[in-house]
Amino acid sequence: MLQTLDIDAAVAGADVPVLLVSVAQLTGDLSVLRDDLRPDLSNLFDPNAGLSGEALAKGRAIAAEALRRHIEEGRDPAPAPEGETLYRMIAFLVGDEPAQSYLELLREELGQDGHDMRAPTWHASDIAPDRTFRVAVIGAGMSGIAVAHRLRQAGVEVTVLEKNADVGGTWFENTYPGCRVDVPSHLYSYSFAQTTRWPHVFSAQDSLLDYFRWCADTLGLREVIRFDTEVLSADFDDERRVWRISLSTGETIEADAVCSAVGQLNRPKFPDIKGRDRFNGTSFHSARWEHDVDLHGKRVGVIGTGASAAQFIPVVAEQASQLTVYQRTPPWLVPTPNYHETLPQGVEELLEVLPDYVRWDRLWLFWRTHEGLLPAAKVDPEWTQGPGSVSTANAFVREFLIQYLRAEFPEDELFEKVVPDYPPAAKRIVRDNGVWARTLRRDNVELVSDKIREITEHGVLTDDGVERSFDVIIYGTGFHASKFLMPMEVHGSGGVDIHEHWDGDARAYLGITVPGYPNLFLLYGPNTNIVINGSIIYFSECEAHYIVECVRMLLERGKQTLDVKREVHDAYNEKIDADNKMMAWGASTVNAWYKNEKGRVTQNWPYSLLEYWQWTREPNPDDYVLH
Ligand code: NAP
């Protein structure tokens, strides 16, 4: 394979800075990391990271030459870089001297030489050999797999309870056509389970489902997952200080701790529109796609233009005779030319010789998106040019995105309809490779922005008095995201129902612990969603780490439970609320699933990725009542 590799073709599709640093690692020769080839990441929207065409060509030539020599001379890979060498490589890739505070996080993300730096550094059998600590994990989706794996590495007894017939969570349930992730594959994957198998730059749903299945298999998790088993309720027994968990199978099991990994985006939300039950045709929600409904030649109405709808509408448009898209709020689109692309030609072969390319690419993506647009989402209190923007930086992004829309929609009538009047980052920005405009400009597609008055027996009636008839209505109307843990019943200390406790306004400390609910740990809990930076898998890994360290604290201190102090929880939430108000998503009044019915931002994390990592390094015993 190595002898036959066409090196020039292989490096042609690679990202040059990632390529150079991977070659430096393979050969041990850092001279390829030349100053004139160092990326400049100050312009987030520059796909070439400030490198001219000439510099890119030079970088590829240098990398190809070094690779060729390495292969021809039959050399072994250089030892994994450490210390100053590793620092120099990281500094080259991120185009800067990374602050010391970031360095450890970056090294973890990189997982140099396949070394899992986030693995627990302790084992239950060493700390408490006579004790079996049992954790029930609810959900075998992305975060359930992460926490179950970490707990098992630490020697904790784990049972995973999964309502579906397989792992994957949202990637198991959402099978609508066009479904894919909007974070690049090398980043939307576990740091501890990197793979060179991704076919696409941004993975499609089936690849992701395969990935999570592969993780469950290779991590040996299937033996502890109970499929087709829904948790109906979890009750804390104050006397014995354990959780009793009632299952859909009729059984009740016991655990010392419960991790809820049930996700936020899996309970389909139908809109509260008058007459919805009257429609005589077929209707379904995007997350419950009815694949046996043939849309070819049908008149189809779609309600919603969020991230899900933006993905399936282009596919439906190719099948339906007539497609009407009902848009309440237009999404911002970020140009992403390679959104549907397979990995660049040659890169797959390159990975055979340069497997560490994947890890360096992960680091590169992490850094490029790490705090990404976060500063541009911050509200400038002095800013007077709202409501379409919240600061100078935000207005700059707005202008960039408007220019893209203008180029994509030359017709004034459509352009007027698709330009958002709210600030970028107040809602999830949708990735686009031009397919949205191509779809909306089709002859068989109509974009309706008039308010829906009601759904009739035949179709949809809008406020302008026009009723359009359909064979099929598809709801791309999102999820009950802020109804955390629904419809499970969870009773904590004293039998208090968590939904009554929250009263529609879910809060948790670090998104993980809730006062009055000892040893209940949430993953992807309140205020742990990210809007414009990073990958949600990163958050789940941080949460899993924190939970594992909580168990360690209990075992080391010979305690049974921990319960977060109310004042700690409240002070934390006050800060989160105040800071979320100073972000585009908190300040804007636009509709978004980030706010609950009371108008509070229950979903989003208003700080950097680094801060979440720092705050979840280890539990502070003073934050908890240990029992
Ligand atoms: P969503 O973002 O909540 O979008 C729901 C859509 O339905 C919006 O356009 C909304 O309009 C519309 N809608 C809701 N109620 C309505 C009503 N009564 N009348 C008219 N329109 C109504 O849901 P989603 O698209 O399923 O996405 C949810 C989240 O899932 C995303 O933000 C993202 O985090 C994740 N997701 C990611 C991807 C990806 O990675 N590419 C794909 C799918 C989903 P308004 O905007 O006015 O509320």
Side-chain angles (χ1 to χ4, degrees):
M1 165 72 205
L2 296 189
Q3 306 309 326
T4 56
L5 178 73
D6 178 346
I7 293 179
D8 293 324
V11 301
D15 265 322
V16 168
V18 182
L19 176 67
L20 288 169
V21 83
S22 313
V23 167
Q25 161 151 8
L26 179 76
T27 60
D29 176 6
L30 268 58
S31 69
V32 296
L33 307 181
R34 294 164 34 149
D35 272 346
D36 57 335
L37 301 177
R38 188 179 282 268
D40 169 9
L41 300 184
S42 53
N43 181 356
L44 276 173
F45 298 116
D46 177 1
N48 293 327
L51 294 171
S52 65
E54 203 182 321
L56 293 172
K58 177 132 227 140
R60 286 204 170 88
I62 289 173
E65 181 50 32
L67 257 182
R68 196 167 287 122
R69 255 201 329 269
H70 183 83
I71 293 171
E72 279 169 8
E73 292 171 13
R75 290 192 212 153
D76 289 333
E82 289 174 22
E84 180 58 24
T85 306
L86 182 59
Y87 183 75
R88 273 184 63 197
M89 293 166 79
I90 292 176
F92 174 82
L93 191 66
V94 304
D96 203 353
E97 302 285 305
Q100 205 58 36
S101 53
Y102 251 116
L103 200 57
E104 199 189 333
L105 167 56
L106 294 180
R107 288 179 60 222
E108 269 190 17
E109 273 296 307
L110 185 60
Q112 207 15 258
D113 199 23
H115 182 56
D116 178 5
M117 292 183 64
R118 289 191 180 135
T121 53
W122 58 279
H123 199 271
S125 60
D126 296 329
I127 300 178
D130 300 329
R131 206 171 151 188
T132 302
F133 196 87
R134 303 155 303 168
V135 178
V137 174
I138 309 175
M142 178 278 286
S143 43
I145 290 176
V147 75
H149 172 56
R150 288 310 193 200
L151 286 166
R152 292 187 82 216
Q153 283 182 311
V156 173
E157 187 180 295
V158 174
T159 304
V160 183
L161 305 158
E162 169 55 58
K163 68 177 168 29
N164 293 328
D166 205 346
V167 299
T170 195
W171 300 109
F172 177 84
E173 292 180 11
N174 282 274
T175 60
Y176 62 79
C179 183
R180 68 172 62 232
V181 70
D182 58 3
V183 174
S185 316
H186 292 162
L187 194 56
Y188 192 84
S189 46
Y190 301 117
S191 64
F192 55 82
Q194 288 294 290
T195 169
T196 54
R197 303 169 351 145
W198 299 114
H200 291 94
V201 183
F202 294 84
S203 291
Q205 176 262 343
D206 55 350
S207 303
L208 284 163
L209 186 53
D210 278 351
Y211 173 72
F212 289 114
R213 284 175 170 152
W214 172 75
C215 289
D217 290 339
T218 54
L219 300 173
L221 285 176
R222 284 193 189 268
E223 64 195 62
V224 297
I225 304 177
R226 294 189 55 181
F227 292 107
D228 298 311
T229 304
E230 182 162 3
V231 171
L232 304 179
S233 63
D235 299 274
F236 184 68
D237 179 333
D238 278 294
E239 220 166 279
R240 298 183 47 240
R241 306 205 70 75
V242 294
W243 284 89
R244 273 201 310 274
I245 302 153
S246 303
L247 310 177
S248 55
T249 55
E251 299 154 273
T252 300
I253 63 167
E254 213 174 80
D256 298 294
V258 173
C259 292
S260 167
V262 297
Q264 294 184 9
L265 301 168
N266 61 3
R267 301 276 165 191
K269 184 176 176 184
F270 285 93
D272 193 12
I273 299 175
K274 190 174 136 198
R276 198 167 58 77
D277 296 337
R278 274 170 42 205
F279 181 58
N280 278 337
T282 305
S283 62
F284 54 85
H285 189 277
S286 61
R288 298 287 180 270
W289 197 269
E290 296 194 8
H291 291 279
D292 51 359
V293 176
D294 183 4
L295 298 175
H296 286 92
K298 300 269 168 47
R299 297 163 304 163
V300 180
V302 170
I303 300 180
T305 51
S308 299
Q311 292 183 333
F312 70 73
I313 283 172
V315 184
V316 173
E318 287 178 4
Q319 302 174 354
S321 58
Q322 174 63 37
L323 170 64
T324 305
V325 177
Y326 290 93
Q327 169 190 274
R328 188 165 68 178
T329 314
W332 282 110
L333 306 179
V334 62
T336 311
N338 62 352
Y339 192 27
H340 293 170
E341 301 294 315
T342 51
L343 271 189
Q345 215 187 354
V347 168
E348 233 170 283
E349 281 138 54
L350 186 68
L351 297 183
E352 301 261 336
V353 208
L354 274 183
D356 286 307
Y357 180 94
V358 171
R359 293 184 171 276
W360 286 107
D361 191 39
R362 176 183 176 82
L363 190 74
W364 163 253
L365 294 165
F366 179 86
W367 189 259
R368 293 205 76 177
T369 63
H370 75 297
E371 312 312 356
L373 289 166
L374 195 69
K378 283 206 164 74
V379 174
D380 172 0
E382 311 287 318
W383 187 248
T384 54
Q385 294 171 46
S389 55
V390 295
S391 67
T392 307
N394 191 261
F396 172 80
V397 175
R398 181 185 175 85
E399 192 44 43
F400 173 80
L401 299 179
I402 284 188
Q403 278 176 23
Y404 178 65
L405 287 173
R406 183 76 264 189
E408 289 289 295
F409 294 92
E411 310 84 353
D412 286 343
E413 201 194 332
L414 258 183
F415 177 70
E416 296 304 326
K417 282 185 183 173
V418 299
V419 175
D421 59 5
Y422 59 88
K427 286 166 83 73
R428 182 84 174 173
I429 300 177
V430 168
R431 286 197 183 275
D432 180 57
N433 59 358
V435 74
W436 191 235
R438 275 201 304 282
T439 302
L440 296 187
R441 294 169 69 202
R442 285 173 69 113
D443 290 343
N444 68 331
V445 176
E446 183 187 14
L447 180 68
V448 175
S449 52
D450 298 286
K451 189 170 184 285
I452 297 176
R453 187 186 297 167
E454 63 182 290
I455 293 176
T456 66
E457 288 167 7
H458 308 290
V460 176
L461 173 67
T462 37
D463 261 359
D464 57 357
V466 178
E467 181 183 2
R468 291 172 179 81
S469 298
F470 301 115
D471 303 306
V472 182
I473 295 178
I474 306 173
Y475 294 96
T477 44
F479 300 89
H480 287 288
S482 56
K483 295 191 174 166
F484 290 87
L485 306 196
M486 288 291 241
M488 264 186 318
E489 284 186 29
V490 180
H491 297 104
S493 202
V496 180
D497 180 339
I498 202 163
H499 300 299
E500 281 173 27
H501 167 75
W502 276 337
D503 190 20
D505 199 1
R507 294 162 197 266
Y509 176 54
L510 301 174
I512 301 174
T513 48
V514 185
Y517 296 81
N519 286 7
L520 172 67
F521 301 102
L522 312 183
L523 290 109
Y524 201 15
N527 297 109
T528 58
N529 183 63
I530 38 174
V531 184
I532 40 169
N533 53 337
S535 147
I536 200 64
I537 294 188
Y538 166 84
F539 267 71
S540 293
E541 287 198 29
C542 290
E543 288 149 8
H545 173 86
Y546 184 83
I547 292 166
V548 167
E549 292 305 301
C550 282
V551 174
R552 175 192 200 161
M553 180 167 78
L554 290 172
L555 295 181
E556 280 182 343
R557 290 166 187 246
K559 300 290 183 187
Q560 223 176 325
T561 56
L562 55 78
D563 190 4
V564 64
K565 291 177 182 165
R566 196 166 298 271
E567 63 274 19
V568 170
H569 165 276
D570 290 354
Y572 167 84
N573 274 279
E574 264 171 46
K575 180 170 164 45
I576 285 272
D577 286 350
D579 292 332
N580 260 328
K581 283 186 187 143
M582 297 309 288
M583 302 305 287
W585 51 79
S588 170
T589 55
V590 70
N591 303 314
W593 60 270
Y594 303 146
K595 289 181 185 167
N596 64 11
E597 284 165 6
K598 302 187 180 195
R600 174 174 169 264
V601 177
T602 35
Q603 316 301 129
N604 298 343
W605 173 251
Y607 313 115
S608 65
L609 302 182
L610 177 67
E611 281 160 290
Y612 197 64
W613 180 80
Q614 288 170 330
W615 292 14
T616 51
R617 282 299 69 208
E618 58 186 53
N620 177 355
D622 295 340
D623 290 346
Y624 290 93
V625 177
L626 301 174
H627 197 282

